[in-house]
Amino acid sequence: MNKPTIECCLSPALIDLYNVEESNVVIIDIFRATSTIAAALGNGANKIIPVDDVQECIKLGTEIENSVTAGERNGQIAEGLQYGNSPSTYKADFIEGKNLVLTTTNGTRLLYKVKHAQEIISGAFLNLGATAQYLAKQNKPLILACASWKDRFNLEDTLFAGALYDQLQDVYDTDCDSMRAAHHLYLLAKNDIFEFLRDGAHFNRLKNYGLTDDLKYCCKVDAHNNLIKFQNGELRIF
Amino acid sequence: MNKPTIECCLSPALIDLYNVEESNVVIIDIFRATSTIAAALGNGANKIIPVDDVQECIKLGTEIENSVTAGERNGQIAEGLQYGNSPSTYKADFIEGKNLVLTTTNGTRLLYKVKHAQEIISGAFLNLGATAQYLAKQNKPLILACASWKDRFNLEDTLFAGALYDQLQDVYDTDCDSMRAAHHLYLLAKNDIFEFLRDGAHFNRLKNYGLTDDLKYCCKVDAHNNLIKFQNGELRIF
């Protein structure tokens, strides 16, 4: 039997080159949307409603019971929202049973770009293992879609794509140079991902906001090891 | 004094994210446009006129004295043209003193996308050294622009960007993750670039057309070590 294909898309600006409709898609926004999603759901949030607009986020926050509005623009809490995009904010004693309405610069935008995919899975180092385990059993083309930074390639999302490929390479086939490059980079970085990323553009941007601990947290492998899917406008654990 | 910046653009589809107008741009199409350009000029071609359209190529071929029309679509000689995009075709006894009118799938298209740059330089492994030497003395922002394959990231162009950065890192500053990734990949590959690329998507595409020797040739460092610029619609040695 032929193996399904795996490809990596390095920027939302390139997503139209891929056959999204017939594929499963993993959305990847390590710093920090998909890490925040993994932490909040892992710590007991009921569901997450990603929206691409701050006003919509505020509006939904008033309509949905037991909700928290959160999000950032350019790495900082967006005006009018209650919380930011910091995974360490969403501890169990705060988030358990709540509905999180979330908007971020890159992650939620990407999510709506791939909305016609067969399945949409949210991936981060925090839930790498569960994500890989699930995907290893799906016999469908797979696209690893990096949220990047305002359409620019970034190292952290690419490393995660490489990490996922590392666990899936026996069950998927690839003829995608982005996938090969991501894997090469992951193998270089895997002994200390945080250290490797210290020289990254977005790392330095967020570090300047005092977010170094947050970034360290985003590099923790399998700390909230759940499979997360986007279905009917909501992100949930499956 | 502040150093000028260096950035890497991994696909023509991302070039609008960069400030082309205020920068020098190196166009990179290792398999094979910029390698063919380096070989043809290195072997004595008078000039190369890149055009983005096969019909325009044929037309100019009839108008320009002492000209040769050449080019490919999808890796093979385009219908109506005399020669392909194979650097090894352009030996001195054939190309010396001639004017080459050239069209390729990715390379010439990129060239016209960056036409408003301060200076446009054509780079390939075949003329890496001369290109680096010239750029080391320019105090202007620099963009290394990969032609890629139909807007998809490819390994060979990225490795060359990394090789160029390797020679320029002391004189330029970067905060570009694509540049960092390209450099990491180059350092992995540098001992045997051809071997590293054996697993590349476009390598395999061209190998299937019987072009393995051609690809090996494109990986030769400094075999035609000239600085090549695009000015007034023409590529020439400077």
Side-chain angles (χ1 to χ4, degrees), chain A residues 24-236:
Chain A
N24 290 332
V25 173
V26 181
I27 53 159
I28 305 167
D29 187 3
I30 299 302
F31 294 157
R32 297 168 292 162
T34 57
S35 298
T36 297
I37 289 163
L41 290 173
N43 281 329
N46 179 40
K47 62 184 179 186
I48 297 172
I49 300 139
V51 294
D52 57 5
D53 174 69
V54 175
Q55 291 314 312
E56 174 74 3
C57 193
I58 294 169
K59 183 171 162 277
L60 281 182
T62 63
E63 292 172 5
I64 295 169
E65 260 183 68
N66 205 18
S67 71
V68 168
T69 60
E72 49 84 21
R73 283 297 177 272
N74 300 315
Q76 302 192 284
I77 301 183
E79 212 184 312
L81 301 184
Q82 297 166 289
Y83 298 92
N85 185 26
S86 177
S88 49
T89 306
Y90 301 97
K91 302 241 186 302
D93 53 2
F94 161 56
I95 198 66
E96 208 165 0
K98 297 236 173 67
N99 301 307
L100 183 63
V101 190
L102 179 71
T103 183
T104 68
T105 312
N106 304 292
T108 45
R109 197 167 67 89
L110 170 63
L111 193 55
Y112 286 97
K113 273 203 164 190
V114 300
K115 65 182 175 189
H116 296 302
Q118 295 279 317
E119 285 203 312
I120 300 173
I121 290 124
S122 177
F125 286 110
L126 295 172
N127 68 337
L128 168 62
T131 306
Q133 218 173 342
Y134 175 76
L135 293 170
K137 292 183 209 134
Q138 310 307 308
N139 190 25
K140 228 169 238 164
L142 178 60
I143 298 165
L144 309 183
C146 300
S148 81
W149 178 257
K150 299 185 177 179
D151 287 339
R152 284 235 196 174
F153 171 96
N154 76 33
L155 278 173
E156 58 274 18
D157 296 345
T158 309
L159 285 193
F160 177 77
L164 207 44
Y165 178 76
D166 197 59
Q167 298 200 23
L168 295 173
Q169 56 186 314
D170 293 338
V171 281
Y172 286 85
D173 266 339
T174 197
D175 190 29
C176 168
D177 274 7
S178 315
M179 194 69 269
R180 292 183 180 99
H183 193 221
H184 282 303
L185 292 167
Y186 169 68
L187 294 178
L188 269 180
K190 70 174 183 178
N191 289 334
D192 194 339
I193 287 161
F194 178 73
E195 195 54 41
F196 191 88
L197 289 174
R198 271 185 178 278
D199 186 38
H202 195 40
F203 186 101
N204 290 316
R205 195 178 296 119
L206 293 173
K207 191 185 70 181
N208 292 337
Y209 302 153
L211 293 169
T212 308
D213 285 350
D214 219 37
L215 301 178
K216 203 166 218 167
Y217 191 79
C218 294
C219 296
K220 277 192 179 177
V221 174
D222 294 347
H224 295 288
N225 207 11
N226 302 296
L227 172 70
I228 297 167
K229 291 189 197 179
F230 179 66
Q231 278 185 4
N232 306 318
E234 299 172 356
L235 290 149
R236 284 181 189 268

Side-chain angles (χ1 to χ4, degrees), chain A residues 11 13-15 17 151, chain B residues 9-18 109-110 113 146-148 150-152:
Chain A
S11 160
L14 302 176
I15 195 73
L17 302 171
D151 287 339
Chain B
C9 176
L10 298 172
S11 160
L14 301 174
I15 196 72
D16 291 343
L17 303 170
Y18 296 77
R109 197 168 68 91
L110 169 64
K113 272 204 163 188
C146 300
S148 80
K150 298 184 177 179
D151 286 338
R152 284 236 195 174

